[in-house]
Amino acid sequence: SMSLREHALSLFRCAVSTVQPAPMMKRAVKLQGNGCPQLVVKGQAFPVKRNLYLVGFGKAVLGMAAAAEEILGDHLVQGIINVPLGIQDCLQRAGMQEMLLKPHSKIQVIEGARNNLPDPEALRGAVAIQELAEGLAADDLLLVLISGGGSALLPAPIPPILLEEKEKLTKMLASRGAAIQELNIVRKTLSLLKGGGLAQLAYPAQVVSLILSDVIGDPLDIIASGPTAASSHSIHDCLQILTKYNLLHSLPKSVETVLSRSPTKPSALQDYSHVCNVIIGSNTLALDEAKRQAEGLGYVTMILSTAICGEVGRVAMLFCQLIQLLCLGFAGLGEGPLGDEVRGNLLQLAAELEIPDLNLAEFLQSLRGLEAERAICILAGGETTVQLQGTGKGGRNQELALRVGLGLHRAMEGSGSLRKCEILFLSGGTDGQDGPTEAAGAFCSPGLVDEALQEGLDVEAVLSNNDSYTFFSQFQGGRHLLVTGLTGTNVMDIQAILIRAV
């Protein structure tokens, strides 16, 4: 029979392949009819008569554009996409031909945003996209492809603000502790294309946006800073944030000029009836596919949440407690005082983490009937955060796996029920990259810490230096690393817990 590790790897691969650009595009978009063809997007039809344009920006957009061009054929007049620096070379080297445009493509590719930061190349691409949108007429149809990383690839500050000035302001906010949502509100206010700006410039053309979400809850106005969605924020919100971080009196002149001219009401009052926004891929879609696969392998499978977020150490504790509860269940101790204690810990942790779509009480209730099962799989998705303390090399998924390994090691010292089960935990990034390493994530099991000690590796020291990648590369010849290569897609991270009775 296959090992838990082989099962986990197979689930992860299936989840990622279901959110690959080509299958997603083909599920969402069809071209129908010969006489007067129509573009059908998730059941909505748009007439096509040699008036179809395409723009896109984001980490997965190259593959989305290749699939779109195949579907649209000669109906596409012109396209411009902004993608991360070096991505075409990367995909070429990985042999992922299907993600690249054909030699005589009508779509122009501009690469920019080195290290996912706006730069002059990304600005050049944004200006080209802006000019294409402004030139459209009422009969035209603009297809917009959007994925995570799109924000850095669409920088177009409102004149007279310069890119450097906007960047400097963003860095000042970040250094004073502004949250990502606050940074995005300020960026959108100072941008021509974000916060619905692109959709407004394309008016009166029909705009159809196909979106691959890398944000918890799939909020249209947050993914890539919402270039085709009405912004729910106003200049007032921007001023409030600048005041909060004491920056109102040290703004560049150009920013003051733009803020003084801006309308005070949110752009939601503008007309967006010419826009159709469709989410074609998300973490939920990936987890649903993994669940189908796990059930096919004989596991009773449940999805914990698609919105796991919070500090990696707390999230690791949540997973460890959950694994303990499942093992107590297997040992027939789930309903005793031990089970009650673990349940209490879990509920408290979940309350502290404030995970948006997690109804833990309900989830724990549905676990109660599973004691008789021989094999259980729990799936989750989202994105954790790591507070850097050391100078090591790692990523949030490898660190999460290592912390879960340490937590299970400690739990084994106090409880026999973990020894009665075979346990595997996996965490991986669906884009195939985890931080600055070539790994997508890592696997762990309760024996990891003891085995590492025999090899002279100290897990606690590794974690205090945020050096999970170095650990996993050295430990057992790197066999606990999850290495997939770049996947060409991105819907956050996936976690899997696999447990079977021994």
Side-chain angles (χ1 to χ4, degrees), residues 67 143 253 296 361 368 455 476:
L143 200 57
K253 199 93 199 91
R368 282 198 137 107
E455 291 190 26
Q476 295 185 352

Side-chain angles (χ1 to χ4, degrees), residues 59-93:
K59 292 180 183 177
V61 157
L62 191 59
M64 289 167 80
E69 191 159 30
E70 206 171 294
I71 296 165
L72 305 173
D74 288 341
H75 294 284
L76 182 64
V77 181
Q78 185 200 352
I80 300 170
I81 58 171
N82 238 10
V83 294
L85 191 69
I87 192 164
Q88 294 179 97
D89 263 1
C90 237
L91 294 171
Q92 187 85 50
R93 280 201 305 277

Side-chain angles (χ1 to χ4, degrees), residues 263 462 465:
V462 165
N465 192 31

Side-chain angles (χ1 to χ4, degrees), residues 35-249:
C36 43
Q38 289 183 318
L39 186 68
V40 181
V41 179
K42 288 260 173 118
Q44 280 187 273
F46 304 95
V48 174
K49 27 187 192 302
R50 294 259 335 135
N51 59 346
L52 189 49
Y53 295 83
L54 179 149
V55 297
F57 28 90
K59 292 180 183 177
V61 157
L62 191 59
M64 289 167 80
E69 191 159 30
E70 206 171 294
I71 296 165
L72 305 173
D74 288 341
H75 294 284
L76 182 64
V77 181
Q78 185 200 352
I80 300 170
I81 58 171
N82 238 10
V83 294
L85 191 69
I87 192 164
Q88 294 179 97
D89 263 1
C90 237
L91 294 171
Q92 187 85 50
R93 280 201 305 277
M96 295 165 82
Q97 255 34 53
E98 72 284 1
M99 300 247 184
L100 296 167
L101 295 169
K102 301 282 184 286
H104 302 293
S105 167
K106 289 180 187 156
I107 300 172
Q108 179 193 357
V109 181
I110 296 172
E111 293 190 359
R114 180 192 294 275
N115 300 330
N116 205 23
L117 295 167
D119 58 14
E121 282 307 299
L123 180 58
R124 182 170 78 86
V127 169
I129 287 171
Q130 178 191 337
E131 286 169 354
L132 188 149
E134 285 172 336
L136 298 175
D139 280 350
D140 293 329
L141 179 55
L142 179 65
L143 200 57
V144 183
L145 310 177
I146 300 176
S147 81
S151 194
L153 285 158
L154 200 68
I158 298 171
I161 302 172
L162 300 173
L163 187 61
E164 303 79 79
E165 294 175 317
K166 190 173 157 193
E167 276 316 284
K168 194 175 160 195
L169 179 58
T170 309
K171 281 196 178 114
M172 277 158 67
L173 276 166
S175 71
R176 295 186 184 196
I180 183 69
Q181 285 80 359
E182 294 176 314
L183 291 175
N184 278 343
I185 291 170
V186 173
R187 278 188 193 133
K188 282 198 293 191
T189 312
L190 305 177
S191 170
L192 275 172
L193 301 176
K194 299 182 167 106
L198 179 61
Q200 291 303 326
L201 289 177
Y203 183 84
Q206 172 72 50
V207 176
V208 179
S209 267
L210 305 177
I211 302 164
L212 178 59
S213 169
D214 70 332
V215 181
I216 283 173
D218 309 333
L220 289 173
D221 67 330
I222 303 287
I223 303 164
S225 301
T228 58
S231 173
S232 46
H233 305 105
S234 67
I235 177 102
H236 179 68
D237 300 309
C238 176
L239 292 170
Q240 243 177 343
I241 293 162
L242 293 171
T243 307
K244 174 178 168 184
Y245 294 103
N246 209 5
L247 284 170
L248 210 48
H249 302 296

Side-chain angles (χ1 to χ4, degrees), residues 186-481:
V186 173
R187 278 188 193 133
K188 282 198 293 191
T189 312
L190 305 177
S191 170
L192 275 172
L193 301 176
K194 299 182 167 106
L198 179 61
Q200 291 303 326
L201 289 177
Y203 183 84
Q206 172 72 50
V207 176
V208 179
S209 267
L210 305 177
I211 302 164
L212 178 59
S213 169
D214 70 332
V215 181
I216 283 173
D218 309 333
L220 289 173
D221 67 330
I222 303 287
I223 303 164
S225 301
T228 58
S231 173
S232 46
H233 305 105
S234 67
I235 177 102
H236 179 68
D237 300 309
C238 176
L239 292 170
Q240 243 177 343
I241 293 162
L242 293 171
T243 307
K244 174 178 168 184
Y245 294 103
N246 209 5
L247 284 170
L248 210 48
H249 302 296
S250 47
L251 295 174
K253 199 93 199 91
S254 57
V255 173
E256 282 183 4
T257 307
V258 167
L259 291 176
S260 65
R261 303 196 296 240
S262 296
T264 49
K265 297 181 201 52
S267 69
L269 300 172
Q270 292 176 298
D271 184 9
Y272 281 84
S273 56
H274 65 299
V275 183
C276 167
N277 286 310
V278 182
I279 297 219
I280 63 168
S282 64
N283 191 269
T284 307
L285 196 69
L287 287 182
D288 286 344
E289 180 57 30
K291 180 173 190 275
R292 244 200 315 278
Q293 292 293 328
E295 286 168 346
L297 290 168
Y299 289 87
V300 171
T301 309
M302 292 172 67
I303 294 175
L304 175 68
S305 162
T306 60
I308 297 288
C309 54
E311 202 277 314
V312 71
R314 313 292 293 157
V315 174
M317 282 169 73
L318 182 82
F319 283 123
C320 286
Q321 296 280 339
L322 189 54
I323 290 167
Q324 277 173 266
L325 186 63
L326 290 165
C327 291
L328 284 169
F330 274 127
L333 303 169
E335 295 308 318
L338 265 176
D340 290 343
E341 186 191 332
V342 175
R343 260 188 218 91
N345 292 345
L346 271 166
L347 288 164
Q348 191 184 338
L349 267 171
E352 286 170 22
L353 282 164
E354 296 180 346
I355 293 165
D357 75 338
L358 175 58
N359 184 340
L360 191 65
E362 197 178 293
F363 183 84
L364 295 178
Q365 196 50 49
S366 22
L367 282 183
R368 282 198 137 107
L370 298 186
E371 280 78 4
E373 300 298 341
R374 308 304 300 154
I376 293 177
C377 170
I378 306 288
L379 297 165
E383 203 158 281
T384 58
T385 45
V386 177
Q387 300 288 327
L388 288 177
Q389 288 151 333
T391 55
K393 195 173 180 187
R396 58 180 181 260
N397 290 289
Q398 294 164 78
E399 179 144 340
L400 178 59
L402 197 51
R403 285 185 182 279
V404 169
L406 181 61
L408 294 177
H409 166 75
R410 287 175 179 159
M412 272 205 352
E413 292 169 350
S415 136
S417 60
L418 284 175
R419 300 180 193 280
K420 297 194 171 72
C421 300
E422 196 188 347
I423 302 162
L424 184 104
F425 176 80
L426 157 85
S427 187
T430 53
D431 58 356
Q433 274 179 316
D434 189 28
T437 74
E438 97 259 349
F443 304 87
C444 79
S445 57
L448 176 103
V449 175
D450 278 340
E451 291 164 21
L453 276 172
Q454 288 164 16
E455 291 190 26
L457 296 167
D458 176 352
V459 170
E460 295 194 39
V462 165
L463 283 168
S464 63
N465 192 31
N466 300 113
D467 205 13
S468 53
Y469 174 72
T470 308
F471 168 85
F472 280 118
S473 326
Q474 292 171 348
F475 175 59
Q476 295 185 352
R479 67 178 296 273
H480 285 69
L481 278 174

Side-chain angles (χ1 to χ4, degrees), residues 1-11 297 299 422 498 500:
S1 77
M2 282 166 83
S3 69
L4 291 190
R5 184 200 148 86
E6 287 168 318
H7 282 170
L9 190 55
S10 149
L11 299 183
L297 290 168
Y299 289 87
E422 196 188 347
L498 302 186
R500 34 182 195 205

